Amino acid sequence: MAAVDPHSFTDSRQARTRHVALSLYLDLPSSTIHASALFSLQTPHSGPFYLDTRSLTIHSVIHPKTQTPIPFSLSDPDPIKGSLLSFTLSDHSSFLISYSTSPSSSALQWLLPPQSSHPFVYTQCQSIHARSVFPCQDTAALRIQYSALLNVPSQLSAVMAARHVERRSPKHDDAVHVVLPDGESWCAQGRIVEEFVMEQSVPPYLFAFAVGELGNREVGPRTRVYAENAAAVLDSAAAEFAGTEDMIREGEKLFGPYEWERFDLLVLPPSFPYGGMENPRMVFLTPTVIKGDATGAQVVAHELAHSWTGNLITNKTNEHFWLNEGFTTYAERRIVEAVQGEQRAALNIGIGWRGLNEDVERFKDNLEFTKLKNNQEGIDPDNVYSQVPYEKGFQFLWRIERQVGRPAFDEFLKKYIDTFKFKSIDTETFLDFLKANIPGIENQIDLLLWTEGTGIPPDAYEPESTAYKTIVSLANEFTNGRMPREDEVAGWQGQEWELYLDNLPKSIEASQVIDLDSRYKLSESKDYEVKVSFLQRAISCGCKTYYNEVEKTLKGVGRMKYLRPLYTALVKGSGKEDGKVFAKRIFSEARECYHPIAQGVVEAIFAKHL
């Protein structure tokens, strides 16, 4: 096998998928999708052919023109890659697979009340979970177009990272090869079909849909906010993201035309495991980004920036993930600076700097994952997800900007995006392009140290803004018991408090934490960044006063940015028996409310520390 990706069975000697036409019957009571997928290849292929699957039941592989079955085999599951679906083609340019998903699909979360007000299902396919929704060459090295028919209960509606064609009655010829359980019919009364097409090529991890009782609000000429049909959520989301069009225009000034036509936003239930997911045309968001002060729009700025860096130009594999996230973090901060000002962007950089230092410390026993370009053979990418590709990647690009000047770097970025759009590239391709377009840069910056060295390079740069320095200085004074005065924090929003808490000394007493909270009520903050940062520090200094608040938080949200530090603080280190017992109980009670990806991450933390 000539592998193209350590996380995929895809073979470079085989034809590439050009287009997949999906017919998906969503059976919400059984948490299952019954489906067919018609594959069109870029070139006819003869010989063995491999696809990635995970937790799929394959009913048949068929030659679509002759309707003759093609024998197939499904391997025993690999714990990371899933099962290899293999069959032999004979000058075929297309084939059709009939299959069903499993309720344990790692990409799908099926929600029932009280997790959501009505039945609801959504996908999260990054990094390697598209294969649990449909068989595919599940690697970012390959880009596909797709169409989809989603057959759902008629009281629900669907959104997708694709162009919506129409909502219509089901037709018998929509899904001739979809195998449905006895008693179920594609054209049954009370079912509706939502039809979508994605005409631009995208990596499989950007395949996305959600189905539920959805309402929406217009917030700009290219943007609608969707959420479960609750007026309060929709109104607050529309207010938080009112400046989205301004951000899109700034992005276009900086990086070139917005290529995806729409930039809609879907606010998901609290179990969504990420802050945001950059699915093209339909960004998925956690409700925790609705903060009431528009600072949550920074997550939107990040997902918007992916429209150029990640969605247009994609990392070839997860070993080059920084090409997606480092570029996008840089682009996000440029957009935030243009729309919200330099001070806000500097605080953003400062929080990122602290996060980078913490994650480099986290990987001190496995420095491979402090490199930008790293080896992930035999590694589950969800278990090594960290701030390193985001923040070290940002620091690398910021270092280049400082070397050549912002105007020259802006020109370079536009040329880079225009050259590689709709392509998947690796670190070497970027470095070759950098050296060709900024001659001599390799003599001014140690490019190899930045991309393949461990830790934080000496020419990385902590921000120097006045606001940032003031907050860090106040945090350092906490060692001596000095709490910030009310006049010093009068204008602080969540970001300032987050930066302050992130920079508190590690050796603080439980009594100091309680005193800080009694004055500023941080444990009750509606901004989860602030609340979780405070609770993490309370746990770390042995303060059990806030265990009730920790429990409420871990049971109330499924965002991994919050689960990871709180569960880690509870179980890491010796003498934490009470914390370990508490953490195990909470997880046993909350587990089913988490997305499967988040479940796996918490289980990995327990495996390491328990």
Side-chain angles (χ1 to χ4, degrees):
M1 189 184 290
V4 299
D5 185 329
H7 300 121
S8 173
F9 292 113
T10 301
D11 191 316
S12 63
R13 296 167 301 189
Q14 298 173 357
R16 297 184 167 205
T17 304
R18 178 183 61 79
H19 186 275
V20 184
L22 292 155
S23 295
L24 306 172
Y25 181 97
L26 279 77
D27 185 356
L28 281 87
S30 70
S31 301
T32 304
I33 299 173
H34 304 290
S36 67
L38 175 62
F39 287 75
S40 300
L41 304 179
Q42 289 182 354
T43 54
H45 183 75
S46 293
F49 196 81
Y50 304 146
L51 293 175
D52 296 303
T53 77
R54 181 186 288 124
S55 305
L56 298 181
T57 299
I58 306 298
H59 302 301
S60 62
V61 181
I62 297 169
H63 188 300
K65 290 179 182 169
T66 64
Q67 298 294 301
T68 52
I70 299 171
F72 66 89
S73 65
L74 201 62
S75 73
D76 290 335
D78 174 272
I80 295 170
K81 292 195 282 190
S83 297
L84 166 63
L85 174 62
S86 58
F87 44 90
T88 298
L89 299 176
S90 179
D91 200 33
H92 290 73
S93 57
S94 65
F95 53 86
L96 189 141
I97 299 176
S98 172
Y99 70 95
S100 297
T101 66
S102 157
S104 63
S105 165
S106 59
L108 291 160
Q109 186 169 25
W110 304 82
L111 301 175
L112 295 169
Q115 287 174 279
S116 66
S117 54
H118 297 87
F120 194 100
V121 59
Y122 69 91
T123 59
Q124 172 55 38
C125 290
Q126 196 179 44
S127 298
I128 54 170
H129 301 283
R131 66 195 67 180
S132 69
V133 183
F134 64 105
C136 55
Q137 293 170 310
D138 195 5
T139 169
L142 274 63
R143 303 173 73 97
I144 59 169
Q145 298 165 296
Y146 65 86
S147 60
L149 304 177
L150 274 67
N151 185 313
V152 302
S154 56
Q155 73 271 24
L156 305 180
S157 57
V159 292
M160 200 164 196
R163 179 171 63 81
H164 187 250
V165 178
E166 63 176 332
R167 178 180 170 93
R168 59 170 173 81
S169 299
K171 300 173 188 169
H172 284 289
D173 58 359
D174 284 340
V176 175
H177 292 283
V178 175
V179 177
L180 294 174
D182 288 344
E184 292 188 44
S185 164
W186 181 269
C187 293
Q189 192 172 5
R191 305 289 298 189
I192 201 83
V193 162
E194 300 262 25
E195 184 173 351
F196 298 87
V197 294
M198 174 45 92
E199 289 139 328
Q200 294 153 307
S201 62
V202 294
Y205 73 80
L206 290 177
F207 177 87
F209 68 79
V211 174
E213 191 164 292
L214 299 171
N216 64 77
R217 296 277 189 280
E218 296 281 348
V219 295
R222 293 178 263 192
T223 306
R224 218 173 270 127
V225 175
Y226 292 80
E228 282 199 279
N229 206 356
V233 175
L234 284 165
D235 291 344
S236 55
E240 190 82 19
F241 308 132
T244 300
E245 180 63 22
D246 291 341
M247 293 196 295
I248 299 172
R249 287 179 184 151
E250 288 300 332
E252 289 183 308
K253 282 186 210 167
L254 288 164
F255 312 119
Y258 179 77
E259 299 267 6
W260 306 94
E261 188 183 353
R262 299 282 308 170
F263 183 72
D264 292 326
L265 308 169
L266 171 65
V267 179
L268 285 161
S271 59
F272 184 57
Y274 292 98
M277 181 61 211
E278 63 271 18
N279 305 311
R281 302 180 64 101
M282 181 62 69
V283 165
F284 286 11
L285 294 168
T286 168
T288 63
V289 299
I290 302 172
K291 301 183 181 187
D293 60 7
T295 58
Q298 291 186 17
V299 172
V300 174
H302 184 89
E303 308 315 331
L304 169 65
H306 268 303
S307 303
W308 292 273
T309 53
N311 297 6
L312 267 189
I313 304 176
T314 305
N315 51 231
K316 192 171 273 187
T317 73
N318 276 289
E319 296 179 321
H320 307 274
F321 190 47
W322 81 273
L323 288 170
N324 276 22
E325 297 299 352
F327 272 90
T328 298
T329 302
Y330 176 87
E332 165 209 337
R333 286 170 182 161
R334 291 293 304 278
I335 293 169
V336 167
E337 181 183 314
V339 175
Q340 297 186 352
E342 282 186 34
Q343 291 287 5
R344 192 57 54 195
L347 292 178
N348 197 323
I349 295 168
I351 291 168
W353 176 256
R354 176 55 51 200
L356 174 59
N357 279 271
E358 286 179 359
D359 273 344
V360 167
E361 172 68 16
R362 171 184 153 203
F363 289 120
K364 66 184 177 186
D365 297 327
N366 199 341
L367 291 171
E368 181 69 22
F369 302 113
T370 68
K371 298 176 181 177
L372 287 183
K373 176 192 166 190
N374 50 62
N375 179 3
Q376 294 191 18
E377 188 69 49
I379 298 294
D380 186 333
D382 290 331
N383 291 341
V384 294
Y385 178 87
S386 78
Q387 291 300 298
V388 172
Y390 294 73
E391 298 298 342
K392 187 175 178 179
F394 163 79
Q395 286 283 341
F396 180 33
L397 299 174
W398 203 28
R399 173 70 185 87
I400 299 168
E401 183 207 287
R402 291 198 302 278
Q403 187 67 42
V404 303
R406 180 168 278 189
F409 192 57
D410 282 354
E411 286 306 306
F412 168 80
L413 278 179
K414 280 183 178 168
K415 187 174 180 184
Y416 166 71
I417 290 165
D418 192 55
T419 301
F420 294 108
K421 66 183 180 181
F422 296 109
K423 292 180 180 156
S424 298
I425 69 168
D426 56 20
T427 301
E428 289 70 27
T429 302
F430 166 72
L431 292 177
D432 288 346
F433 185 80
L434 176 69
K435 288 183 277 192
N437 286 275
I438 305 179
I441 190 73
E442 67 271 30
N443 302 319
Q444 300 160 327
I445 299 173
D446 190 336
L447 303 179
L448 199 63
L449 176 69
W450 269 100
T451 53
E452 297 188 39
T454 60
I456 303 174
D459 50 344
Y461 194 69
E462 190 171 3
E464 283 191 334
S465 85
T466 306
Y468 172 79
K469 285 184 168 177
T470 301
I471 293 166
V472 171
S473 174
L474 283 171
N476 291 335
E477 289 179 15
F478 199 79
T479 312
N480 308 320
R482 169 153 141 61
M483 219 179 290
R485 299 188 311 269
E486 290 186 19
D487 62 302
E488 292 173 312
V489 304
W492 283 14
Q493 293 176 302
Q495 243 185 332
E496 285 85 350
W497 276 114
E498 184 187 356
L499 185 63
Y500 176 79
L501 290 164
D502 285 352
N503 282 277
L504 286 179
K506 287 193 166 42
S507 57
I508 54 176
E509 301 291 328
S511 59
Q512 292 177 292
V513 169
I514 292 168
D515 287 348
L516 181 66
D517 190 52
S518 66
R519 181 175 294 186
Y520 292 115
K521 304 290 186 273
L522 301 175
S523 66
E524 300 166 24
S525 175
K526 291 188 169 51
D527 185 329
Y528 274 89
E529 317 291 326
V530 175
K531 179 198 280 276
V532 170
S533 189
F534 174 81
L535 293 175
Q536 184 185 359
R537 269 134 200 87
I539 296 166
S540 297
C541 68
C543 179
K544 295 179 187 173
T545 305
Y546 300 100
Y547 269 22
N548 280 345
E549 205 58 54
V550 172
E551 180 167 349
K552 266 169 44 185
T553 302
L554 290 174
K555 287 182 173 179
V557 295
R559 186 178 176 185
M560 292 188 295
K561 185 178 183 182
Y562 309 142
L563 304 186
R564 189 180 275 111
L566 291 180
Y567 277 115
T568 301
L570 286 168
V571 301
K572 186 179 177 183
S574 56
K576 288 281 189 78
E577 291 317 306
D578 287 353
K580 291 175 181 179
V581 170
F582 177 67
K584 284 196 283 188
R585 175 178 70 78
I586 298 301
F587 183 56
S588 70
E589 294 169 5
R591 186 182 187 281
E592 292 308 310
C593 296
Y594 297 156
H595 187 280
I597 296 172
Q599 292 174 9
V601 164
V602 178
E603 284 161 357
I605 291 169
F606 285 1
K608 182 176 180 181
H609 296 293
L610 293 181

